[in-house]
Structures are given as C-alpha cells and as structure tokens.
C-alpha cells in the first residue's frame, strides 16, 4: 500500500512539473530545478493540497492556516509552560494570602498530599513568597541554613540564597532589582537582577532531630522583605502556616492555560522572555497591550492544540525517548536535568527542548544548584514511572525496590510517591506518601541495604517499610539523596528497579 501511495505521489509531482513546463519558452527562460517546483496537487497528512502554478487554492489556504495556528498553539504550550507554572503558583499562594511582599507561607508541619504542588517533598520545611518589584527594589533578609532560590515569572533563574548562595548559609541581605533598574545601588547587599517584576521566592529549611521547630523559628526571626525605600522602618511580616491546606499551584492543561500565559505577557516586559516564543504567542492572539479574545474558530483550534501540547509534554515526561535521560542502561531511573544543564543546553546556544519540557512539566523551581554535581553537598534526584519490565507503575500492584548497601547520602535519603495526573503527592490514607532514612522505625538490613514496598496494602511483616498506593491510580516516584556521595556520581552504586511482587 505504501509503495502505491509513493508511486501515486511521484506521478502527481511529475504531473505538476509537466504542467509548469507547458508555459511558453521566453527569451529569459532557463532550466528550473525540479526540487523548487510545487506540483499542482500534494498528498499530505493534512489531506490533498492543491495549487495553480504554485498558488494555493482557497481550501488549501484555509487548511494550512488552520494547521499553522494549531502548530503554534502546541508550540506555545511547550515553550510557555514554565511561565504558566510560575503563574499558577502565584495564583495558588495568593489564595492563601501571599499576594503582597510581606506574607510568608510556611509549611510548619511539613507539606502533605492535600496541597497540590509539582513533586514537593515531605522532608523539608517549605517557605513561599511572591515578590513584586513594580514599585521598586526589594530588600530580602534570609535565615541561616536554608536552600532558597528566586525565579522569574517565566520560571527562569535569578539567584540562590542560603547554603548555595553567596551568604553560604549564614543568612544575608539581598537586593532584588526590577527590570531595567538604573537607580543607585547602595552597598552592603548581594544584588539580584530579575527580568520580570513578579518573582517566585521559596526556600527550604531542614528537620533537626525530626523536628521543624528550629527551621520555623529561624524563618520567623530572620526572614524579612521590604522596599528599599522603607529600609529605615520596614513593615511587619506576616507568617501563615499552610500545612494541610487544600489549594492548587499547578498550571491548567485546558484552554485556561493560554489565559494564564496571557496574564504574564500583559504584566511583564516583552524583554523578559524569548522573542520567538512571544512571537508564537502573538500569532495566536496573546500580545502585550491587546485583549486576548479568540473567535470561535481560533478557540476551537487552541482547545485542540492545548490538548495535544499537554499530551506531548506528558509523553516526554512519563515515556521519554531521550536516551540520555536515563541514569543506567535498561533502567527506569531518569534525571530531571537531562544533559546536566539547568538552562537545558545541549551545547552553548542550543536548547534541549524536550529536556526543558520534561523538567517543567514535572518539577518546580530552577537553579544550577539542583543540576551541579557536588559530592556531599545539596541534593540529587532520580525519578521512575515504570517497573522493571518498563510497564507503568500500577496502584493495584505491589512492588519491591532494593537499595543496595551503603546508600550514598551523607545527610538522608527518601522516596516520595506522586499521582501521575497531578504530579503532586499521591493522596492515600497516609498523610505523607513517603519513606526515608529519617523514619524512626525503618527496617535496615544487616548489610545496611534497605528494601521498600509500594502497594495498596502493606505486605505482612514489612509494614514499617511500606508506602501506600491506590488501586486504579497510576503513580511515579522520586528518590532523593541529600548530601549525595561519590558512589552516586560515579554510578558504582545503583538503586534497584521496581519489581512486581506476585
């Protein structure tokens, strides 16, 4: 059948050439290369495209413009998704009162599965703010012993604070400048320049002896944000405990996605993001200073485009074809930083597009500190969405994972289980769908290896080392190593695969 179609296409092409060559020979006529001739009829995945000596007929023009708008809608989803993710966080934390520069949301009792966050953890104390510099520069005072970052409204890196920042975990004063700021910069600050007015600021404190107390106290004592113009008399901070609160911070996967992105385009300077992406957005009606009001035809196309964009991002994330995403041959364990670059660069000047999609569809926050390989410092991550037979992890089944002896984590390690749909913590009967080395009753084998079970019910005798899943729900998992050691980086230590238990 394919051969017949190929032959038919060839005949159509030749017929087109023959038609073009029936034109009378003129004084300036020269031989025209076949490769630049458009035939009268072309068979494509869009159907038959028809031309009159290279000029598209009305039906072909309509078909191609529909397709062009559709393609740009899909590309807009894939390329503007980081911004939509940041915008969804802005809206989500604003719902909890963090809609100004003086409110800090604290997970005083850790994050659990009630709050919808892309791949959050259950082992550190999250603190969240949305910073807006439209009124001028902001001073930021940070607590000691934190890992923190500031990202733009388009979810691009601005700077680190805390242990990975210039204050080296001692706490410090930072000055966040708005886009294009040309005013005087006083001394005594670590200076951060953002391309956007809106910025996500979040940091993690750490458990001490299993308690959140010291980290929470440090935030309330030392964390401050205030306008530079009010440095002599800073306004009071407000602290809100949001542990156990129900709210969403995940971008939409339907038409509302484009409305989320439109808010960023209208609020932020055009210079804050890539011209090609803003061009894609403008082509589908999202343009600064203009209302976003697609007609019925365009809304229908964009509704389909966002569905295909979401499906594409989901496939890249859960069933990626990027071979360099996997840590080991024939293994399910993959990295969120494919290529090892927090900017997702294959080489200087070349963006690894699928790598960026995978990370931002799956995770929150961007900083080089998450991608840099530093022995004993920071954290490393490995995700898995499939079992040892490369089948999707099934909430109805029971799985066992073996962590070999001498798990290479100086500080601690953990597994957290996530819902495939939301990429947030899986909602089960357990408050924290996780397990790790800080669990007091964790059973460790005599050789220091650990076996962990995942399934709807605890296998008899292994209750302490079990994480619950939900029948009918797909799930995935992140293995975190805090203070990763050399055997992790040189791959002499390797986590086991998810083995289905009969």
């Amino acid at each position: 059948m394919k051969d017949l179609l190929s032959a038919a296409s060839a005949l159509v092409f030749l017929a087109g050439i023959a038609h073009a060559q029936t034109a009378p020979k003129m004084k300036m006529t020269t031989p025209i290369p076949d490769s630049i001739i458009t035939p009268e009829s072309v068979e494509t995945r869009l159907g038959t495209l028809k031309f009159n000596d290279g000029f598209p007929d009305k039906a072909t023009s309509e078909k191609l413009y529909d397709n062009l708008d559709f393609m740009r809608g899909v590309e807009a989803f894939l390329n503007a998704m980081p911004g939509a993710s940041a915008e969804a966080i802005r809206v989500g934390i604003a719902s909890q009162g963090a809609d100004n520069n003086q409110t800090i949301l604290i997970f005083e009792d850790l994050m659990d599965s009630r709050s919808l966050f892309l791949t959050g953890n259950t082992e550190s104390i999250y603190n969240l703010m949305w910073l807006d510099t439209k009124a001028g520069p902001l001073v930021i005072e940070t607590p000691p012993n934190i890992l923190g970052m500031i990202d733009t409204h388009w979810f691009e890196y601005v700077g680190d604070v805390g242990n990975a920042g210039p204050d080296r975990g001692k706490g410090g004063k930072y000055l966040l400048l708005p886009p294009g700021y040309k005013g005087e910069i006083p001394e005594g600050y670590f200076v951060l320049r953002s391309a956007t007015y809106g910025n996500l600021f979040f940091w993690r404190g750490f458990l001490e002896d299993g308690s959140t107390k010291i980290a929470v106290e440090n935030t309330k004592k030392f964390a401050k944000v205030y306008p530079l113009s009010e440095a002599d008399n800073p306004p009071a901070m407000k602290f809100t405990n949001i542990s156990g609160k129900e709210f969403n911070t995940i971008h939409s996967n339907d038409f509302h996605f484009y409305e989320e992105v439109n808010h960023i385009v209208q609020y932020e300077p055009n210079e804050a993001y890539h011209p090609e992406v803003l061009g894609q957005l403008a082509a589908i009606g999202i343009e600064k200073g203009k209302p976003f009001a697609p007609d019925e035809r365009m809304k229908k196309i964009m509704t389909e485009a966002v569905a295909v964009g979401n499906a594409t991002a989901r496939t890249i994330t859960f069933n990626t074809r990027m071979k360099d995403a996997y840590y080991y041959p024939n293994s399910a364990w993959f990295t969120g930083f494919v290529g090892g670059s927090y900017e997702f660069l294959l080489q200087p000047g070349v963006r690894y597009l699928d790598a960026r999609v995978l990370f931002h569809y799956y995770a929150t926050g961007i900083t080089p500190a998450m991608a840099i390989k530093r022995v004993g410092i920071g954290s490393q991550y490995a995700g898995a969405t499939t079992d040892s037979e490369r089948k999707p992890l099934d909430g109805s089944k029971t799985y066992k994972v073996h962590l070999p002896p001498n798990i290479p984590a100086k500080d601690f390690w953990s597994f957290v289980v996530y819902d495939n749909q939301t990429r947030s913590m899986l909602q089960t009967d357990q408050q924290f769908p996780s397990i790790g080395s800080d669990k007091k009753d964790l059973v460790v084998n005599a050789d220091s290896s650990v076996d962990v079970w995942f399934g709807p019910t605890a296998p008899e005798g292994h209750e302490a080392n079990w994480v619950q899943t939900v029948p009918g729900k797909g799930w995935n998992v992140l293995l975190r190593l805090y203070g990763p050691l050399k055997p992790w980086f040189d791959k002499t230590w390797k986590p086991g695969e998810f083995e289905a238990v009969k």
Side-chain angles (χ1 to χ4, degrees):
M1 186 65 178
K2 287 184 178 179
D3 291 340
L4 288 172
L5 288 173
S6 297
S9 296
L11 288 171
V12 167
F13 182 79
L14 291 172
I17 294 174
H19 177 84
Q21 291 176 344
T22 60
K25 188 173 183 180
M26 309 300 286
K27 288 182 180 179
M28 298 299 293
T29 298
T30 63
I32 305 298
D34 293 348
S35 61
I36 69 171
I37 297 296
T38 299
E40 300 296 284
S41 180
V42 182
E43 297 299 328
T44 73
R45 65 171 56 194
L46 303 179
T48 302
L49 307 179
K50 295 183 178 181
F51 301 86
N52 179 14
D53 196 22
F55 194 99
D57 68 12
K58 182 181 179 183
T60 292
S61 294
E62 290 175 352
K63 193 176 296 184
L64 289 171
Y65 277 126
D66 283 352
N67 184 60
L68 185 60
D69 290 338
F70 172 76
M71 288 194 303
R72 284 173 172 160
V74 172
E75 289 295 323
F77 182 91
L78 299 176
N79 293 328
M81 179 177 52
S85 187
E87 170 65 8
I89 294 173
R90 182 193 71 81
V91 172
I93 66 177
S95 74
Q96 302 303 303
D99 55 357
N100 54 59
N101 292 325
Q102 270 69 59
T103 300
I104 301 176
L105 305 182
I106 315 177
F107 284 93
E108 294 189 26
D109 305 299
L110 302 176
M111 182 187 291
D112 63 27
S113 59
R114 289 186 180 89
S115 306
L116 297 178
F117 277 83
L118 292 179
T119 52
N121 74 55
T122 61
E123 301 86 33
S124 57
I125 300 90
Y126 283 101
N127 305 263
L128 299 161
M129 296 188 74
W130 187 262
L131 305 182
D132 195 308
T133 62
K134 221 159 205 185
L138 293 174
V139 177
I140 302 168
E141 297 185 18
T142 61
N145 191 29
I146 62 169
L147 277 174
M149 69 191 77
I150 296 176
D151 292 327
T152 73
H153 207 159
W154 285 110
F155 237 139
E156 294 191 316
Y157 174 69
V158 176
D160 289 300
V161 305
N163 300 352
D167 67 275
R168 297 292 183 263
K170 297 178 182 178
K173 282 189 175 183
Y174 292 78
L175 187 62
L176 180 64
L177 302 178
Y181 183 77
K182 293 182 172 60
E184 183 179 350
I185 301 175
E187 295 182 355
Y189 298 97
F190 299 114
V191 178
L192 300 171
R193 295 180 180 272
S194 175
T196 58
Y197 296 109
N199 298 270
L200 172 63
F201 177 34
F202 77 97
W203 66 95
R204 290 171 288 168
F206 303 100
L207 295 170
E208 295 194 29
D209 297 324
S211 172
T212 66
K213 181 179 179 182
I214 292 176
V216 171
E217 288 179 349
N218 281 343
T219 284
K220 293 183 176 180
K221 182 177 180 181
F222 296 107
K224 295 181 178 64
V225 175
Y226 47 88
L228 178 62
S229 60
E230 299 180 32
D232 293 335
N233 186 27
M237 300 299 294
K238 180 180 178 181
F239 305 94
T240 303
N241 180 12
I242 55 170
S243 288
K245 298 292 185 181
E246 299 176 20
F247 63 104
N248 174 49
T249 67
I250 301 169
H251 66 80
S252 298
N253 291 325
D254 59 12
F255 182 82
H256 182 56
F257 171 90
Y258 297 113
E259 295 170 327
E260 292 171 326
V261 172
N262 181 60
H263 176 85
I264 310 172
V265 171
Q266 301 307 327
Y267 195 79
E268 303 293 354
N270 281 342
E271 295 78 9
Y273 208 47
H274 313 295
E276 289 80 5
V277 178
L278 293 181
Q280 290 171 348
L281 295 172
I284 58 174
I286 299 174
E287 188 174 359
K288 191 172 184 67
K290 297 182 180 180
F292 175 51
D295 59 21
E296 185 177 346
R297 166 193 167 273
M298 196 64 182
K299 189 166 185 178
K300 180 180 179 182
I301 289 173
M302 293 175 70
T303 300
E304 182 183 4
V306 74
V308 172
N310 173 58
T312 302
R314 181 164 288 275
T315 299
I316 289 171
T317 302
F318 290 104
N319 192 24
T320 186
R321 67 181 181 182
M322 292 182 287
K323 293 182 180 179
D324 49 345
Y326 296 99
Y327 281 107
Y328 320 98
N330 303 314
S331 173
W333 293 109
F334 66 89
T335 175
F337 287 100
V338 185
S341 166
Y342 79 96
E343 295 178 294
F344 310 105
L345 297 176
L346 275 169
Q347 53 182 279
V350 182
R351 189 82 64 198
Y352 203 163
L353 296 176
D354 285 2
R356 184 173 63 184
V357 168
L358 185 154
F359 180 84
H360 281 289
Y361 194 76
Y362 191 56
T364 299
I366 195 72
T367 166
M370 296 171 72
I372 293 174
K373 297 179 179 180
R374 297 182 297 177
V375 175
I377 300 174
S379 53
Q380 286 286 302
Y381 308 81
T385 62
T386 58
D387 64 17
S388 59
E389 298 179 355
R390 301 310 295 269
K391 295 178 181 178
L393 294 170
D394 183 344
S396 304
K397 297 180 179 179
T398 298
Y399 301 89
K400 176 183 176 183
V401 172
H402 179 71
L403 299 181
N406 303 313
I407 299 170
K410 178 173 67 69
D411 300 324
F412 62 95
W413 61 266
S414 76
F415 284 113
V416 182
V417 174
Y418 302 101
D419 183 328
N420 282 353
Q421 286 283 5
T422 65
R423 291 93 73 208
S424 301
M425 293 181 200
L426 186 67
Q427 295 177 333
T428 70
D429 293 331
Q430 295 175 326
Q431 181 182 6
F432 301 112
S434 60
I435 195 168
S437 55
D438 60 350
K439 190 172 187 286
K440 292 181 180 180
D441 60 347
L442 183 76
V443 176
V444 179
N445 300 326
D447 62 356
S448 80
S449 67
V450 177
D451 296 304
V452 180
W453 279 260
F454 301 81
T457 57
E460 187 175 352
H462 301 294
E463 292 81 2
N465 288 27
W466 165 70
V467 183
Q468 189 177 27
T469 60
V470 181
K473 288 293 299 176
W475 57 278
N476 63 88
V477 68
L478 272 178
L479 169 63
R480 289 175 167 88
L481 303 173
Y482 293 83
L485 300 176
K486 189 172 180 292
W488 170 255
F489 294 113
D490 64 22
K491 299 183 180 179
T492 55
W493 185 91
K494 173 185 172 183
E497 303 297 313
F498 284 82
E499 304 287 348
V501 178
K502 303 296 183 183

